[in-house]
């Protein structure tokens, strides 16, 4: 049966370094740490590759994030695969649990969801998941 985890997270660090900037399109790598609350309680380390274009709000990123903590009271860690894109019409930020990346009580975790940016600059998440 599929369950839903919801909550928020804060960005604790964001270290970004451009590695290519041609014709106004910038490629960059970022290292991020987060703290989660809600149904996910814990911390994560994330590494993403980003592309920002000269057109305002047009961008994309991909990345991987290792979450360590608890999900609905079960302790362990797992890896999320991020895919995101945005343009003047909006954005889509989705994540998927990498199959077989869960450990501890989160072994066998499957699922996916999204990150939701709030108007106040905050971040919320949804994760629809299954655990054996």
């Amino acid at each position: 049966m599929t369950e839903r985890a919801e909550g928020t997270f804060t960005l604790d660090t964001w270290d970004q370094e451009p590695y290519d900037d041609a014709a106004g399109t910038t490629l960059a790598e970022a290292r991020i740490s987060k703290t989660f609350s809600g149904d996910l309680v814990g911390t994560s380390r994330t590494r993403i590759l980003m592309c920002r274009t000269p057109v305002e709000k047009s961008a994309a990123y991909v990345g991987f994030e290792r979450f360590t903590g608890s999900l609905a009271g079960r302790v362990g860690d797992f890896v999320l695969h991020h895919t995101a894109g945005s343009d003047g019409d909006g954005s889509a930020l989705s994540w998927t649990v990498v199959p077989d990346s869960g450990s501890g009580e989160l072994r066998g975790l499957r699922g996916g969801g999204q990150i939701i940016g709030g108007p106040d600059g905050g971040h919320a998440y949804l994760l629809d998941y299954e655990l054996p």
Side-chain angles (χ1 to χ4, degrees):
M1 183 163 93
T2 301
E3 302 286 337
R4 172 164 280 183
E6 299 180 64
T8 60
F9 64 86
T10 58
L11 297 173
D12 300 322
T13 62
W14 182 289
D15 297 317
Q16 182 176 322
E17 184 176 328
Y19 64 87
D20 187 344
D21 189 5
T25 298
T26 302
L27 302 177
E29 177 183 12
R31 292 175 191 87
I32 304 159
S33 64
K34 301 175 188 172
T35 300
F36 285 80
S37 60
D39 296 319
L40 286 169
V41 177
T43 59
S44 73
R45 293 176 307 156
T46 308
R47 185 165 291 183
I48 63 173
L49 297 175
M50 301 178 296
C51 176
R52 295 190 188 272
T53 74
V55 176
E56 187 177 345
K57 297 185 181 182
S58 289
Y61 82 80
V62 296
F64 290 96
E65 175 171 13
R66 181 180 305 276
F67 171 84
T68 302
S70 66
L71 167 59
R74 295 174 72 169
V75 177
D77 67 40
F78 59 90
V79 175
L80 292 161
H81 171 223
H82 290 249
T83 304
S86 66
D87 60 21
D89 294 329
S91 64
L93 299 100
S94 64
W95 54 3
T96 305
V97 175
V98 174
D100 301 312
S101 67
S103 71
E105 296 174 320
L106 299 177
R107 186 175 311 281
L109 176 68
R110 304 263 187 218
Q114 59 186 334
I115 297 171
I116 304 155
D120 62 353
H123 296 89
Y125 64 83
L126 299 175
L127 178 65
D128 294 319
Y129 67 93
E130 294 180 8
L131 272 167

